[in-house]
Amino acid sequence: MHILSTKDLPDSYLDRLYGRTLDIEKYSYRYTDALKGKVLANLFFEESTRTRISFETAMYRLGGQVLSPNIKDSSLVKGESIENMIKTISQYADVIVIRHPVEGMVSKLAKHSDVPVINAGDGANEHPTQALLDLHTMLKFNQKELFERTNLMFTGDLLYSRTIRSLLYLIKRYTDIRVCFANDIEEKNIPFSEYFIADEKSIPEFLSATDILYMTRNQKERHIEGKNDTKFILTSELADTMPDHAIIMHPLPCNDELPEEINNNPRAKYFEQVKNGLWTRMAILWLMLRDYDNK
Ligand code: CP
């Protein structure tokens, strides 16, 4: 099974993933040889720190090995098609992780692979494994049973954020979440019938009732001359208007919207997200390459 979008993931998979992720976090020493002999290929056609390195670390911690070919040294420069490159790598690896700047490209390439493909981000479209680790973090830190009456606020670049798009497909399964967007988002991007839009003035009011704040940076690399830049900055004063139990999340990397002083705020959970990304990706690989009973 490929992982290309959070839209197609069955609820039963999410349940198994959550359970397995918790187990791996608690008993990681039991998994050190779980994927011995398996090989992961990391193909990144766009920059990354967390996704690329956490997939590498996840595979090493499960006893597997990693191929990280330098795209610039590949036969693409001799004119080989990217489709044939994927077909070739799928003869060597057991799973291929691909990031590409073009929307839909990873799904297109997956059709040429003989092994499962994981979408590590395709343009502004989707970033399913980030959304899975985000959901895991929310479930872990939100003290309410299955998001009972939870207020979730999104700020930042809602139009171009692939992490938010993938996350919305997951959280729409939890009917008791009330969602607020802190700036305009094209309606076609929202899989909900009911949601709030906050403007600059009403953000503080919404923040004081927010259980989970999910921020994103301006995806400048996808903007036309800063045209779509959003301005919201979370100051310490604003963060302190949030309830004590609230959590602040961000997929990172962040820019001005999230000053470093917020790192020390007890509500800040974005480095926990980074850590959860390792456990979640270990669980994703384990379910994909080892969970024979559920294939
Ligand atoms: N969150 C995320 O995708 O980070 P990277 O771009 O560093 O992989």
Side-chain angles (χ1 to χ4, degrees):
M1 180 185 87
H2 302 305
I3 296 186
L4 301 172
S5 161
T6 48
K7 253 192 260 183
D8 6 284
L9 296 174
D11 290 349
S12 59
Y13 176 82
L14 300 184
D15 291 344
R16 281 193 294 133
L17 183 68
Y18 185 63
R20 185 58 55 186
T21 304
L22 289 177
D23 194 70
I24 287 177
E25 177 175 359
K26 199 165 173 192
Y27 304 112
S28 57
Y29 59 90
R30 292 184 185 163
Y31 290 83
T32 49
D33 284 334
L35 295 187
K36 196 170 177 197
K38 301 285 186 193
V39 174
L40 175 149
N42 249 344
L43 289 188
F44 279 68
F45 296 87
E46 193 186 83
E47 303 73 20
S48 166
T49 297
R50 278 145 289 270
T51 314
R52 187 174 63 78
I53 296 174
S54 66
F55 267 115
E56 270 187 38
T57 312
M59 199 59 181
Y60 285 130
R61 284 184 179 249
L62 291 164
Q65 289 172 302
V66 181
L67 304 171
S68 290
N70 186 345
I71 307 292
K72 292 190 187 101
D73 294 336
S74 75
S75 288
L76 283 183
V77 295
K78 299 181 201 161
E80 182 175 43
S81 70
I82 187 168
E83 290 82 2
N84 274 358
M85 180 191 193
I86 299 299
K87 183 84 179 169
T88 301
I89 289 174
S90 74
Q91 310 310 308
Y92 306 137
D94 299 288
V95 54
I96 307 179
V97 178
I98 306 177
R99 172 171 288 187
H100 199 284
V102 176
E103 288 184 27
M105 182 58 102
V106 179
S107 296
K108 200 173 149 210
L109 294 177
K111 296 192 174 81
H112 298 269
S113 172
D114 293 338
V115 297
V117 167
I118 298 176
N119 180 1
D122 60 323
N125 183 35
E126 282 220 42
H127 192 350
T129 64
Q130 176 69 44
L132 290 168
L133 75 89
D134 291 341
L135 179 67
H136 184 86
T137 306
M138 289 179 180
L139 287 167
K140 230 167 115 175
F141 287 107
N142 188 42
Q143 288 149 14
K144 300 180 184 181
E145 188 71 20
L146 272 183
F147 299 128
E148 190 190 353
R149 291 188 301 283
T150 290
N151 293 329
L152 169 56
M153 176 143 153
F154 289 100
T155 63
D157 191 349
L158 306 177
L159 212 51
Y160 290 93
S161 168
R162 57 192 175 200
T163 71
I164 290 183
R165 193 186 316 280
S166 287
L167 187 55
L168 291 179
Y169 293 135
L170 292 181
I171 60 168
K172 76 168 195 171
R173 302 169 197 224
Y174 299 88
T175 50
D176 218 3
I177 292 190
R178 283 174 294 192
V179 178
C180 172
F181 298 100
N183 60 50
D184 245 347
I185 177 166
E186 276 182 16
E187 282 189 23
K188 70 179 171 57
N189 289 334
I190 306 178
F192 302 103
S193 51
E194 282 183 36
Y195 53 88
F196 305 93
I197 301 269
D199 56 29
E200 224 166 291
K201 274 197 193 141
S202 59
I203 285 179
E205 190 190 322
F206 275 98
L207 274 180
S208 65
T210 291
D211 300 299
I212 303 172
L213 172 63
Y214 191 99
M215 304 180 68
T216 54
R217 74 183 166 94
N218 282 310
Q219 311 285 308
K220 291 195 182 74
E221 63 275 30
R222 302 186 218 292
H223 290 185
I224 314 151
E225 286 289 310
K227 195 168 159 265
N228 304 89
D229 280 6
T230 61
K231 309 269 182 306
F232 177 74
I233 292 175
L234 185 67
T235 59
S236 285
E237 292 71 34
L238 272 178
D240 285 335
T241 65
M242 295 174 69
D244 288 345
H245 71 265
I247 61 172
I248 300 164
M249 298 178 62
H250 195 304
L252 303 179
C254 61
N255 297 146
D256 301 346
E257 75 283 358
L258 188 53
E260 271 172 32
E261 64 191 30
I262 306 290
N263 293 1
N264 299 322
N265 190 300
R267 301 171 188 85
K269 298 294 178 219
Y270 30 93
F271 288 105
E272 313 265 1
Q273 277 169 273
V274 171
K275 192 75 181 180
N276 288 333
L278 174 61
W279 309 129
T280 304
R281 289 184 172 120
M282 284 174 77
I284 288 169
L285 294 172
W286 191 92
L287 288 178
M288 193 171 257
L289 300 175
R290 179 67 196 267
D291 190 18
Y292 307 115
D293 296 342
N294 283 298
K295 290 235 159 75

